[in-house]
Coordinates of all heavy atoms in Angstrom, one line a residue:
M526 N -3.2 -27.8 -18.6 CA -2.2 -28.1 -17.6 C -2.7 -27.3 -16.3 O -3.0 -26.1 -16.3 CB -0.8 -27.7 -17.9 CG 0.2 -28.0 -16.8 SD 1.9 -27.7 -17.3 CE 2.1 -29.3 -18.2
S527 N -2.7 -28.0 -15.1 CA -3.1 -27.4 -13.9 C -1.9 -27.5 -12.9 O -1.8 -28.7 -12.3 CB -4.3 -28.0 -13.4 OG -4.6 -27.4 -12.1
L528 N -1.1 -26.6 -12.8 CA 0.0 -26.6 -11.9 C -0.4 -26.6 -10.4 O -1.4 -25.8 -10.0 CB 1.1 -25.5 -12.1 CG 1.7 -25.5 -13.5 CD1 2.4 -24.2 -13.7 CD2 2.6 -26.8 -13.6
K529 N 0.2 -27.2 -9.5 CA 0.0 -27.3 -8.1 C 1.2 -27.0 -7.4 O 2.2 -27.4 -7.8 CB -0.7 -28.7 -7.7 CG -2.0 -29.0 -8.4 CD -3.1 -28.1 -7.9 CE -4.4 -28.4 -8.6 NZ -5.4 -27.5 -8.4
I530 N 1.0 -26.3 -6.3 CA 2.2 -26.0 -5.4 C 2.5 -27.2 -4.7 O 1.7 -27.9 -4.0 CB 1.9 -24.8 -4.5 CG1 1.8 -23.6 -5.4 CG2 3.1 -24.7 -3.5 CD1 1.2 -22.3 -4.6
A531 N 3.8 -27.7 -4.8 CA 4.3 -28.9 -4.1 C 4.5 -28.7 -2.7 O 4.8 -27.6 -2.3 CB 5.6 -29.3 -4.7
A532 N 4.1 -29.7 -2.0 CA 4.3 -29.6 -0.5 C 5.8 -29.5 -0.2 O 6.7 -30.0 -0.9 CB 3.8 -30.8 0.2
G533 N 6.1 -28.8 0.8 CA 7.5 -28.5 1.2 C 7.7 -27.1 1.6 O 6.8 -26.4 2.0
R534 N 8.9 -26.8 1.7 CA 9.2 -25.4 2.3 C 9.1 -24.3 1.2 O 9.2 -24.6 0.1 CB 10.6 -25.4 2.9 CG 11.8 -25.4 1.9 CD 13.1 -25.2 2.6 NE 14.1 -24.6 1.8 CZ 14.9 -25.3 1.0 NH1 14.9 -26.6 1.0 NH2 15.8 -24.5 0.3
L535 N 8.9 -23.1 1.8 CA 8.9 -22.0 1.0 C 10.2 -21.3 1.2 O 10.7 -21.2 2.4 CB 7.8 -21.0 1.3 CG 6.3 -21.6 1.2 CD1 5.4 -20.5 1.8 CD2 6.1 -21.9 -0.3
D536 N 10.9 -20.8 0.1 CA 12.1 -20.0 0.3 C 11.7 -18.5 0.2 O 11.1 -18.1 -0.7 CB 13.1 -20.3 -0.9 CG 13.6 -21.7 -0.8 OD1 13.9 -22.1 0.3 OD2 13.8 -22.4 -1.8
L537 N 12.0 -17.8 1.2 CA 11.7 -16.3 1.5 C 12.9 -15.5 1.1 O 14.0 -15.8 1.7 CB 11.2 -16.1 2.9 CG 10.1 -17.0 3.4 CD1 9.9 -16.7 4.9 CD2 8.9 -16.8 2.6
S538 N 12.8 -14.5 0.2 CA 13.9 -13.6 -0.1 C 13.3 -12.2 0.2 O 12.1 -12.0 0.6 CB 14.3 -13.7 -1.5 OG 13.3 -13.1 -2.4
A539 N 14.1 -11.2 0.1 CA 13.7 -9.9 0.3 C 12.5 -9.4 -0.6 O 11.7 -8.5 -0.2 CB 14.8 -8.9 0.2
T540 N 12.5 -10.0 -1.8 CA 11.5 -9.5 -2.9 C 10.5 -10.5 -3.2 O 9.6 -10.2 -4.0 CB 12.3 -9.2 -4.1 OG1 13.0 -10.2 -4.6 CG2 13.1 -7.9 -3.8
S541 N 10.6 -11.8 -2.8 CA 9.6 -12.8 -3.3 C 9.6 -14.0 -2.3 O 10.4 -14.2 -1.5 CB 10.1 -13.3 -4.7 OG 11.3 -14.0 -4.7
I542 N 8.6 -14.8 -2.5 CA 8.4 -16.1 -2.0 C 8.5 -17.1 -3.1 O 7.9 -17.0 -4.2 CB 7.0 -16.3 -1.3 CG1 7.0 -15.2 0.0 CG2 6.8 -17.7 -0.7 CD1 5.7 -15.2 0.7
V543 N 9.4 -18.2 -2.9 CA 9.7 -19.1 -4.0 C 9.3 -20.5 -3.6 O 9.4 -20.8 -2.5 CB 11.2 -19.2 -4.3 CG1 11.5 -20.2 -5.4 CG2 11.7 -17.7 -4.6
C544 N 8.5 -21.2 -4.5 CA 8.1 -22.5 -4.2 C 8.3 -23.3 -5.4 O 8.7 -22.9 -6.5 CB 6.6 -22.5 -3.9 SG 5.5 -21.7 -5.2
E545 N 7.8 -24.5 -5.4 CA 7.9 -25.5 -6.6 C 6.5 -25.8 -7.0 O 5.6 -26.0 -6.2 CB 8.6 -26.8 -6.1 CG 8.8 -27.8 -7.3 CD 9.5 -29.0 -7.0 OE1 10.7 -28.8 -6.4 OE2 9.0 -30.0 -7.3
L546 N 6.3 -25.8 -8.3 CA 5.0 -26.2 -8.9 C 5.2 -27.5 -9.6 O 6.3 -27.7 -10.2 CB 4.6 -25.1 -9.9 CG 4.3 -23.7 -9.4 CD1 4.1 -22.7 -10.5 CD2 3.1 -23.8 -8.5
R547 N 4.2 -28.3 -9.5 CA 4.2 -29.6 -10.4 C 2.9 -29.9 -11.0 O 1.9 -29.4 -10.5 CB 4.4 -30.8 -9.3 CG 5.7 -30.7 -8.7 CD 5.9 -31.9 -7.7 NE 7.1 -31.8 -7.0 CZ 7.4 -32.6 -6.0 NH1 6.8 -33.6 -5.7 NH2 8.6 -32.5 -5.4
D548 N 3.0 -30.6 -12.1 CA 1.9 -31.2 -12.8 C 2.4 -32.5 -13.4 O 3.0 -32.4 -14.5 CB 1.3 -30.3 -13.8 CG 0.2 -30.8 -14.6 OD1 -0.5 -31.7 -14.1 OD2 -0.1 -30.5 -15.8
G549 N 2.2 -33.6 -12.8 CA 2.7 -34.8 -13.2 C 4.2 -34.8 -13.2 O 4.8 -34.5 -12.1
E550 N 4.9 -34.9 -14.3 CA 6.3 -34.9 -14.4 C 6.9 -33.5 -14.5 O 8.0 -33.3 -14.3 CB 6.8 -35.8 -15.6 CG 6.5 -37.3 -15.4 CD 7.1 -37.9 -14.2 OE1 8.3 -37.6 -14.0 OE2 6.5 -38.6 -13.5
T551 N 6.1 -32.5 -14.8 CA 6.5 -31.1 -14.9 C 6.9 -30.6 -13.5 O 6.0 -30.6 -12.7 CB 5.4 -30.3 -15.7 OG1 5.2 -30.8 -17.0 CG2 5.9 -28.9 -15.9
R552 N 8.0 -30.0 -13.5 CA 8.3 -29.3 -12.2 C 8.9 -27.9 -12.5 O 9.7 -27.9 -13.4 CB 9.4 -30.2 -11.4 CG 8.7 -31.4 -10.9 CD 9.9 -32.0 -10.1 NE 9.3 -33.3 -9.5 CZ 9.8 -34.0 -8.6 NH1 11.1 -33.6 -8.1 NH2 9.3 -35.1 -8.1
L553 N 8.4 -26.9 -11.9 CA 9.0 -25.6 -12.1 C 9.2 -24.9 -10.8 O 8.5 -25.1 -9.9 CB 7.9 -24.7 -12.8 CG 7.5 -25.0 -14.3 CD1 6.2 -24.3 -14.6 CD2 8.6 -24.7 -15.1
V554 N 10.2 -24.0 -10.8 CA 10.4 -23.0 -9.7 C 9.5 -21.9 -10.0 O 9.4 -21.4 -11.1 CB 11.8 -22.6 -9.6 CG1 12.0 -21.6 -8.6 CG2 12.7 -23.9 -9.3
C555 N 8.7 -21.4 -9.0 CA 7.8 -20.3 -9.1 C 8.1 -19.3 -8.0 O 8.2 -19.6 -6.8 CB 6.4 -20.8 -9.0 SG 5.2 -19.4 -9.0
S556 N 8.4 -18.1 -8.4 CA 8.6 -16.9 -7.5 C 7.3 -16.1 -7.6 O 6.9 -15.6 -8.7 CB 9.8 -16.2 -7.6 OG 9.9 -15.6 -8.9
V557 N 6.8 -15.6 -6.4 CA 5.7 -14.7 -6.3 C 6.3 -13.5 -5.6 O 6.7 -13.6 -4.4 CB 4.5 -15.3 -5.5 CG1 3.4 -14.3 -5.5 CG2 4.1 -16.7 -6.1
S558 N 6.2 -12.4 -6.3 CA 6.7 -11.2 -5.7 C 5.9 -10.8 -4.4 O 4.7 -11.0 -4.4 CB 6.7 -9.9 -6.6 OG 5.4 -9.4 -6.7
R559 N 6.6 -10.3 -3.4 CA 5.9 -9.9 -2.3 C 4.8 -8.8 -2.5 O 3.8 -8.8 -1.8 CB 7.0 -9.4 -1.2 CG 7.8 -10.5 -0.6 CD 8.8 -10.1 0.4 NE 9.6 -11.2 0.9 CZ 9.4 -11.9 2.0 NH1 8.4 -11.6 2.6 NH2 10.1 -12.8 2.4
E560 N 5.2 -8.0 -3.4 CA 4.2 -6.9 -3.8 C 2.9 -7.5 -4.4 O 1.8 -7.1 -4.0 CB 4.9 -6.0 -4.8 CG 4.0 -4.7 -5.1 CD 4.7 -3.8 -6.0 OE1 5.5 -2.9 -5.5 OE2 4.6 -4.0 -7.3
A561 N 3.1 -8.5 -5.3 CA 1.8 -9.2 -5.8 C 1.2 -10.0 -4.6 O -0.2 -9.9 -4.6 CB 2.3 -10.1 -6.9
L562 N 1.8 -10.5 -3.8 CA 1.2 -11.3 -2.7 C 0.5 -10.3 -1.9 O -0.7 -10.5 -1.4 CB 2.2 -12.0 -1.9 CG 1.7 -12.9 -0.8 CD1 0.9 -14.0 -1.3 CD2 2.8 -13.5 0.1
R563 N 1.0 -9.2 -1.4 CA 0.4 -8.1 -0.7 C -0.9 -7.6 -1.4 O -1.9 -7.5 -0.7 CB 1.3 -7.0 -0.4 CG 2.2 -7.2 0.8 CD 2.8 -5.9 1.3 NE 3.6 -5.4 0.2 CZ 4.9 -5.6 0.0 NH1 5.5 -6.5 0.7 NH2 5.6 -5.1 -0.9
D564 N -0.8 -7.4 -2.7 CA -1.9 -6.8 -3.5 C -3.1 -7.9 -3.4 O -4.3 -7.5 -3.2 CB -1.5 -6.6 -5.0 CG -0.8 -5.3 -5.1 OD1 -0.6 -4.6 -4.2 OD2 -0.1 -5.2 -6.2
L565 N -2.8 -9.2 -3.6 CA -3.8 -10.2 -3.6 C -4.4 -10.4 -2.1 O -5.7 -10.4 -1.9 CB -3.3 -11.5 -4.0 CG -3.4 -11.9 -5.5 CD1 -2.6 -13.3 -5.7 CD2 -4.8 -11.9 -6.0
G566 N -3.5 -10.3 -1.2 CA -4.0 -10.3 0.2 C -4.8 -9.3 0.6 O -5.9 -9.5 1.2
D567 N -4.5 -8.1 0.1 CA -5.3 -6.9 0.4 C -6.7 -6.9 -0.2 O -7.7 -6.6 0.3 CB -4.5 -5.5 -0.1 CG -3.4 -5.2 0.9 OD1 -3.3 -5.8 2.0 OD2 -2.6 -4.4 0.4
Y568 N -6.7 -7.4 -1.5 CA -7.9 -7.6 -2.2 C -8.9 -8.5 -1.5 O -10.1 -8.2 -1.3 CB -7.7 -8.1 -3.7 CG -9.1 -8.2 -4.3 CD1 -9.7 -7.3 -4.9 CD2 -9.5 -9.6 -4.5 CE1 -10.9 -7.4 -5.4 CE2 -10.8 -9.8 -5.0 CZ -11.5 -8.7 -5.5 OH -12.7 -8.9 -6.1
Y569 N -8.4 -9.6 -1.0 CA -9.2 -10.6 -0.3 C -9.3 -10.3 1.2 O -9.9 -11.0 2.0 CB -8.7 -12.0 -0.5 CG -9.0 -12.4 -2.0 CD1 -8.0 -12.6 -2.9 CD2 -10.3 -12.8 -2.3 CE1 -8.2 -13.1 -4.2 CE2 -10.5 -13.2 -3.6 CZ -9.5 -13.4 -4.5 OH -9.8 -13.8 -5.8
R570 N -8.7 -9.1 1.6 CA -8.8 -8.7 3.0 C -8.2 -9.8 4.0 O -8.9 -10.1 5.0 CB -10.2 -8.2 3.4 CG -10.6 -7.2 2.6 CD -12.0 -6.7 3.0 NE -12.4 -5.6 2.0 CZ -13.7 -5.2 1.9 NH1 -14.7 -5.8 2.6 NH2 -13.9 -4.2 1.0
L571 N -7.1 -10.3 3.6 CA -6.5 -11.3 4.4 C -5.5 -10.6 5.3 O -4.8 -9.7 4.9 CB -5.8 -12.4 3.7 CG -6.7 -13.2 2.6 CD1 -5.9 -14.1 1.7 CD2 -7.8 -13.9 3.4
A572 N -5.4 -11.1 6.6 CA -4.4 -10.6 7.5 C -3.4 -11.7 7.9 O -3.8 -12.9 7.7 CB -5.1 -10.1 8.7
G573 N -2.4 -11.4 8.5 CA -1.5 -12.4 9.0 C -0.2 -12.3 8.4 O 0.2 -11.3 7.5
S574 N 0.7 -13.2 8.7 CA 2.2 -13.2 8.0 C 2.0 -13.4 6.5 O 1.0 -13.9 6.0 CB 3.0 -14.4 8.6 OG 2.4 -15.6 8.3
E575 N 3.1 -13.1 5.8 CA 3.1 -13.4 4.3 C 3.0 -14.8 4.0 O 2.4 -15.3 3.1 CB 4.3 -12.8 3.7 CG 4.4 -11.3 3.6 CD 5.5 -10.8 3.0 OE1 6.6 -11.3 3.0 OE2 5.4 -9.7 2.4
E576 N 3.5 -15.7 4.9 CA 3.5 -17.2 4.7 C 1.9 -17.6 5.0 O 1.5 -18.5 4.2 CB 4.3 -18.0 5.7 CG 5.8 -17.7 5.5 CD 6.4 -16.5 6.2 OE1 5.5 -15.6 6.8 OE2 7.6 -16.4 6.3
A577 N 1.3 -17.0 5.9 CA -0.2 -17.4 6.1 C -0.9 -16.9 4.9 O -1.8 -17.6 4.6 CB -0.6 -16.8 7.4
V578 N -0.7 -15.7 4.4 CA -1.5 -15.1 3.4 C -1.3 -16.0 2.1 O -2.2 -16.4 1.3 CB -1.2 -13.7 3.0 CG1 -1.7 -13.2 1.8 CG2 -1.7 -12.8 4.2
F579 N 0.0 -16.4 1.9 CA 0.4 -17.3 0.7 C -0.4 -18.6 0.8 O -1.0 -19.0 -0.2 CB 1.9 -17.5 0.8 CG 2.3 -18.3 -0.4 CD1 2.9 -17.8 -1.5 CD2 2.4 -19.7 -0.3 CE1 3.3 -18.4 -2.6 CE2 2.9 -20.5 -1.4 CZ 3.3 -19.8 -2.6
S580 N -0.5 -19.2 2.0 CA -1.2 -20.5 2.2 C -2.7 -20.2 1.9 O -3.4 -21.1 1.2 CB -1.1 -20.9 3.6 OG 0.2 -21.4 3.9
E581 N -3.3 -19.1 2.3 CA -4.8 -18.9 2.0 C -5.0 -18.7 0.5 O -6.0 -19.0 0.0 CB -5.2 -17.6 2.8 CG -5.4 -17.7 4.2 CD -6.6 -18.6 4.5 OE1 -7.7 -18.5 3.8 OE2 -6.6 -19.4 5.4
L582 N -4.0 -18.2 -0.2 CA -4.1 -17.8 -1.6 C -3.6 -18.9 -2.6 O -3.6 -18.6 -3.8 CB -3.3 -16.5 -1.9 CG -3.9 -15.2 -1.3 CD1 -2.8 -14.1 -1.5 CD2 -5.1 -15.0 -1.9
L583 N -3.3 -20.2 -2.0 CA -2.8 -21.2 -2.8 C -3.7 -21.4 -4.0 O -3.1 -21.5 -5.2 CB -2.7 -22.5 -2.1 CG -1.5 -22.6 -1.1 CD1 -1.6 -23.9 -0.3 CD2 -0.3 -22.4 -1.8
P584 N -5.0 -21.6 -4.0 CA -5.8 -21.7 -5.3 C -5.6 -20.7 -6.3 O -5.4 -20.9 -7.5 CB -7.1 -21.9 -4.7 CG -7.0 -22.2 -3.3 CD -5.9 -21.5 -2.8
E585 N -5.6 -19.5 -5.9 CA -5.4 -18.3 -6.8 C -4.1 -18.3 -7.3 O -3.8 -18.0 -8.5 CB -5.8 -17.0 -6.0 CG -5.8 -15.7 -7.0 CD -7.0 -15.7 -7.9 OE1 -7.9 -16.6 -7.8 OE2 -6.9 -14.9 -8.8
I586 N -3.0 -18.5 -6.6 CA -1.6 -18.6 -7.1 C -1.5 -19.7 -8.0 O -0.8 -19.5 -9.1 CB -0.6 -18.6 -5.9 CG1 -0.6 -17.3 -5.1 CG2 0.8 -19.0 -6.5 CD1 0.1 -17.5 -3.7
E587 N -2.0 -20.7 -7.8 CA -2.0 -22.0 -8.8 C -2.6 -21.6 -10.1 O -2.1 -21.9 -11.1 CB -2.5 -23.2 -8.1 CG -1.7 -23.7 -7.0 CD -2.4 -24.8 -6.2 OE1 -3.6 -25.0 -6.2 OE2 -1.7 -25.6 -5.5
R588 N -3.7 -21.0 -10.0 CA -4.5 -20.5 -11.1 C -3.7 -19.6 -12.0 O -3.6 -19.7 -13.2 CB -5.9 -20.1 -10.8 CG -6.8 -19.9 -12.0 CD -8.1 -19.1 -11.6 NE -7.8 -17.7 -11.3 CZ -7.3 -16.8 -12.1 NH1 -7.1 -17.0 -13.3 NH2 -7.1 -15.6 -11.7
L589 N -3.1 -18.6 -11.3 CA -2.4 -17.6 -12.1 C -1.1 -18.2 -12.7 O -0.8 -17.9 -13.8 CB -1.9 -16.4 -11.1 CG -3.1 -15.5 -10.7 CD1 -2.5 -14.7 -9.4 CD2 -3.4 -14.5 -11.9
A590 N -0.5 -19.1 -11.9 CA 0.7 -19.7 -12.4 C 0.4 -20.6 -13.6 O 1.2 -20.5 -14.6 CB 1.4 -20.6 -11.3
S591 N -0.7 -21.4 -13.5 CA -1.1 -22.2 -14.7 C -1.4 -21.4 -15.9 O -1.0 -21.7 -17.0 CB -2.3 -23.1 -14.3 OG -1.9 -24.0 -13.3
A592 N -2.0 -20.2 -15.7 CA -2.4 -19.4 -16.8 C -1.2 -18.8 -17.4 O -0.9 -18.8 -18.7 CB -3.3 -18.2 -16.4
K593 N -0.2 -18.4 -16.7 CA 0.9 -17.8 -17.1 C 1.8 -18.8 -17.9 O 2.4 -18.6 -18.9 CB 1.9 -17.1 -16.0 CG 3.0 -16.4 -16.6 CD 3.7 -15.5 -15.5 CE 4.8 -14.6 -16.2 NZ 5.3 -13.7 -15.2
F594 N 1.9 -20.1 -17.4 CA 2.7 -21.1 -17.9 C 2.1 -21.5 -19.3 O 2.8 -21.7 -20.3 CB 2.6 -22.5 -17.0 CG 3.3 -23.6 -17.6 CD1 4.7 -23.6 -17.5 CD2 2.7 -24.5 -18.2 CE1 5.4 -24.7 -18.0 CE2 3.4 -25.7 -18.7 CZ 4.7 -25.7 -18.7
A595 N 0.8 -21.5 -19.4 CA 0.1 -21.9 -20.6 C 0.4 -20.9 -21.7 O 0.4 -21.2 -22.9 CB -1.3 -22.0 -20.4
A596 N 0.6 -19.6 -21.3 CA 0.9 -18.6 -22.1 C 2.4 -18.4 -22.5 O 2.8 -17.4 -23.3 CB 0.4 -17.2 -21.6
G597 N 3.1 -19.3 -22.1 CA 4.6 -19.3 -22.4 C 5.4 -18.4 -21.5 O 6.4 -17.9 -21.9
G598 N 4.9 -18.1 -20.3 CA 5.5 -17.1 -19.4 C 6.6 -17.7 -18.6 O 6.9 -17.0 -17.6
V599 N 7.2 -18.7 -18.9 CA 8.4 -19.2 -18.2 C 9.7 -18.5 -18.7 O 9.9 -18.4 -20.0 CB 8.7 -20.8 -18.4 CG1 9.8 -21.2 -17.7 CG2 7.4 -21.5 -17.9
G600 N 10.5 -18.0 -17.7 CA 11.7 -17.3 -18.2 C 12.8 -18.2 -18.8 O 12.6 -19.4 -18.7
E601 N 13.7 -17.7 -19.4 CA 14.8 -18.4 -20.0 C 15.5 -19.3 -19.0 O 16.1 -20.4 -19.4 CB 15.8 -17.4 -20.7 CG 15.3 -16.7 -21.9 CD 16.3 -15.9 -22.6 OE1 17.5 -16.0 -22.3 OE2 15.8 -15.0 -23.4
D602 N 15.5 -18.9 -17.7 CA 16.2 -19.8 -16.7 C 15.2 -20.8 -16.2 O 15.7 -21.6 -15.3 CB 16.5 -18.8 -15.5 CG 15.4 -18.1 -15.0 OD1 14.3 -18.2 -15.4 OD2 15.7 -17.5 -13.9
G603 N 14.0 -21.0 -16.8 CA 13.1 -22.0 -16.4 C 12.2 -21.7 -15.2 O 11.4 -22.4 -14.7
E604 N 12.3 -20.5 -14.7 CA 11.6 -20.0 -13.6 C 10.3 -19.3 -13.9 O 10.4 -18.4 -15.0 CB 12.4 -19.1 -12.6 CG 11.7 -18.8 -11.3 CD 12.6 -18.1 -10.3 OE1 13.9 -18.4 -10.3 OE2 12.1 -17.2 -9.5
L605 N 9.3 -19.5 -13.4 CA 8.0 -18.8 -13.5 C 7.8 -17.7 -12.5 O 7.8 -18.1 -11.2 CB 6.8 -19.7 -13.5 CG 5.4 -19.3 -13.8 CD1 5.2 -19.0 -15.2 CD2 4.3 -20.2 -13.4
R606 N 7.8 -16.5 -12.8 CA 7.7 -15.4 -11.9 C 6.4 -14.7 -12.0 O 5.9 -14.3 -13.1 CB 8.9 -14.3 -12.2 CG 10.2 -14.9 -11.9 CD 11.2 -13.8 -12.3 NE 12.6 -14.3 -12.0 CZ 13.3 -15.3 -12.9 NH1 12.7 -15.5 -14.0 NH2 14.5 -15.7 -12.6
I607 N 5.7 -14.5 -10.9 CA 4.5 -13.8 -10.7 C 4.6 -12.6 -10.1 O 5.0 -12.4 -9.0 CB 3.4 -14.7 -10.0 CG1 3.2 -16.0 -10.8 CG2 2.1 -14.0 -9.8 CD1 2.2 -17.0 -10.1
G608 N 4.4 -11.4 -10.8 CA 4.5 -10.1 -10.3 C 3.1 -9.4 -10.4 O 2.1 -10.0 -10.7
T609 N 3.1 -8.2 -10.0 CA 1.8 -7.4 -9.9 C 1.1 -7.3 -11.2 O -0.2 -7.5 -11.3 CB 2.0 -6.1 -9.4 OG1 3.0 -5.3 -10.1 CG2 2.4 -6.1 -7.9
A610 N 1.8 -7.2 -12.4 CA 1.2 -7.0 -13.6 C 0.5 -8.4 -14.1 O -0.5 -8.3 -14.7 CB 2.3 -6.7 -14.7
D611 N 1.0 -9.5 -13.6 CA 0.3 -10.8 -13.9 C -1.0 -10.9 -13.3 O -1.8 -11.6 -13.8 CB 1.3 -11.9 -13.4 CG 2.6 -11.9 -14.1 OD1 2.6 -11.6 -15.3 OD2 3.7 -12.1 -13.5
L612 N -1.3 -10.1 -12.2 CA -2.5 -10.2 -11.5 C -3.6 -9.7 -12.6 O -4.7 -10.1 -12.6 CB -2.6 -9.3 -10.2 CG -1.6 -9.7 -9.2 CD1 -1.8 -8.7 -8.0 CD2 -1.8 -11.1 -8.8
L613 N -3.3 -8.7 -13.4 CA -4.2 -8.3 -14.5 C -4.2 -9.1 -15.6 O -5.1 -9.3 -16.3 CB -3.9 -6.8 -14.8 CG -4.1 -5.8 -13.6 CD1 -3.6 -4.4 -13.9 CD2 -5.4 -5.8 -13.1
R614 N -2.9 -9.4 -16.1 CA -2.8 -10.2 -17.4 C -3.5 -11.5 -17.3 O -3.9 -11.9 -18.4 CB -1.3 -10.3 -17.6 CG -0.6 -9.4 -18.3 CD 0.8 -9.7 -18.7 NE 1.7 -8.6 -18.8 CZ 2.7 -8.5 -18.1 NH1 3.2 -9.3 -17.4 NH2 3.5 -7.3 -18.2
F615 N -3.4 -12.2 -16.3 CA -3.8 -13.6 -16.3 C -5.2 -13.9 -15.6 O -5.5 -15.0 -15.3 CB -2.7 -14.5 -15.8 CG -1.5 -14.5 -16.7 CD1 -0.4 -13.7 -16.4 CD2 -1.6 -15.0 -18.0 CE1 0.7 -13.7 -17.3 CE2 -0.5 -14.9 -18.9 CZ 0.6 -14.2 -18.6
C616 N -5.8 -12.8 -15.2 CA -7.1 -13.0 -14.6 C -8.1 -13.1 -15.8 O -8.2 -12.3 -16.6 CB -7.5 -11.8 -13.7 SG -6.6 -11.9 -12.2
R617 N -8.8 -14.3 -15.9 CA -9.7 -14.5 -16.9 C -11.0 -13.7 -16.7 O -11.8 -13.5 -17.6 CB -10.0 -16.0 -17.0 CG -8.8 -16.8 -17.6 CD -9.2 -18.1 -17.6 NE -8.4 -18.6 -16.5 CZ -8.5 -19.9 -16.1 NH1 -9.0 -20.8 -16.7 NH2 -7.7 -20.3 -15.0
V618 N -11.3 -13.4 -15.4 CA -12.5 -12.6 -15.1 C -12.1 -11.5 -14.1 O -11.0 -11.7 -13.5 CB -13.6 -13.5 -14.5 CG1 -14.1 -14.5 -15.5 CG2 -13.1 -14.3 -13.2
P619 N -12.8 -10.4 -14.0 CA -12.5 -9.5 -12.9 C -12.2 -10.1 -11.6 O -12.8 -11.1 -11.2 CB -13.6 -8.6 -12.8 CG -14.3 -8.7 -14.1 CD -14.1 -10.2 -14.6
L620 N -11.2 -9.6 -10.8 CA -10.9 -10.2 -9.6 C -12.1 -10.4 -8.6 O -12.2 -11.2 -7.9 CB -9.8 -9.4 -8.8 CG -8.4 -9.6 -9.3 CD1 -7.5 -8.6 -8.6 CD2 -7.9 -11.0 -9.1
S621 N -13.0 -9.5 -8.7 CA -14.3 -9.5 -7.8 C -15.1 -10.8 -8.1 O -15.8 -11.2 -7.2 CB -15.1 -8.3 -8.0 OG -15.6 -8.3 -9.4
T622 N -14.8 -11.4 -9.2 CA -15.6 -12.7 -9.5 C -14.7 -14.0 -9.7 O -15.2 -15.0 -10.1 CB -16.6 -12.5 -10.6 OG1 -15.8 -12.2 -11.8 CG2 -17.6 -11.4 -10.3
S623 N -13.4 -13.7 -9.3 CA -12.5 -14.9 -9.5 C -12.7 -15.9 -8.4 O -13.6 -15.8 -7.5 CB -11.0 -14.4 -9.6 OG -10.8 -13.8 -8.2
A624 N -12.0 -16.9 -8.5 CA -12.2 -18.1 -7.5 C -12.1 -17.5 -6.1 O -11.4 -16.7 -5.8 CB -10.9 -19.0 -7.7
R625 N -13.1 -18.1 -5.3 CA -13.3 -17.7 -4.0 C -12.2 -18.3 -3.1 O -11.8 -19.4 -3.2 CB -14.6 -18.1 -3.5 CG -15.7 -17.6 -4.3 CD -15.9 -16.0 -4.1 NE -17.1 -15.6 -4.8 CZ -17.0 -14.5 -5.6 NH1 -16.0 -13.8 -5.6 NH2 -18.1 -14.1 -6.2
I626 N -11.7 -17.4 -2.3 CA -10.7 -18.0 -1.3 C -11.4 -18.3 0.0 O -12.3 -17.4 0.5 CB -9.7 -16.7 -1.0 CG1 -9.0 -16.3 -2.2 CG2 -8.6 -17.2 0.0 CD1 -8.3 -17.4 -3.0
R627 N -11.1 -19.4 0.6 CA -11.8 -19.9 1.8 C -11.1 -19.1 3.0 O -9.9 -19.0 3.0 CB -11.6 -21.3 2.0 CG -12.4 -22.1 1.0 CD -12.3 -23.6 1.3 NE -12.8 -24.2 0.0 CZ -12.1 -25.2 -0.6 NH1 -11.0 -25.6 -0.2 NH2 -12.5 -25.6 -1.7
H628 N -11.9 -18.6 3.9 CA -11.4 -17.9 5.2 C -11.6 -18.9 6.3 O -12.4 -19.6 6.5 CB -12.2 -16.6 5.4 CG -11.9 -15.7 4.2 ND1 -10.9 -14.9 4.2 CD2 -12.7 -15.5 3.1 CE1 -11.0 -14.1 3.2 NE2 -12.1 -14.5 2.4

């Protein structure tokens, strides 16, 4: 299963950015902690607002979300949460050789 971030608005909270993921009929709420987003953005040396960094990191976020979903990482409330620990848990290869982010 390859989850994709659905077009639409992002919900911003003090601790996370929330979006909707889809794969055909499957729909999930996904929250990405601001800390995880900063860590990924820093790794890829991205600058700009968190929303801009989120947009640049869409392929990586989708890949992480798909891997966590496949591993049964959906919470009891049906939400998929991506935090800093997930950056290590669900990377199939070291970050230095993971999917390239377009600049």
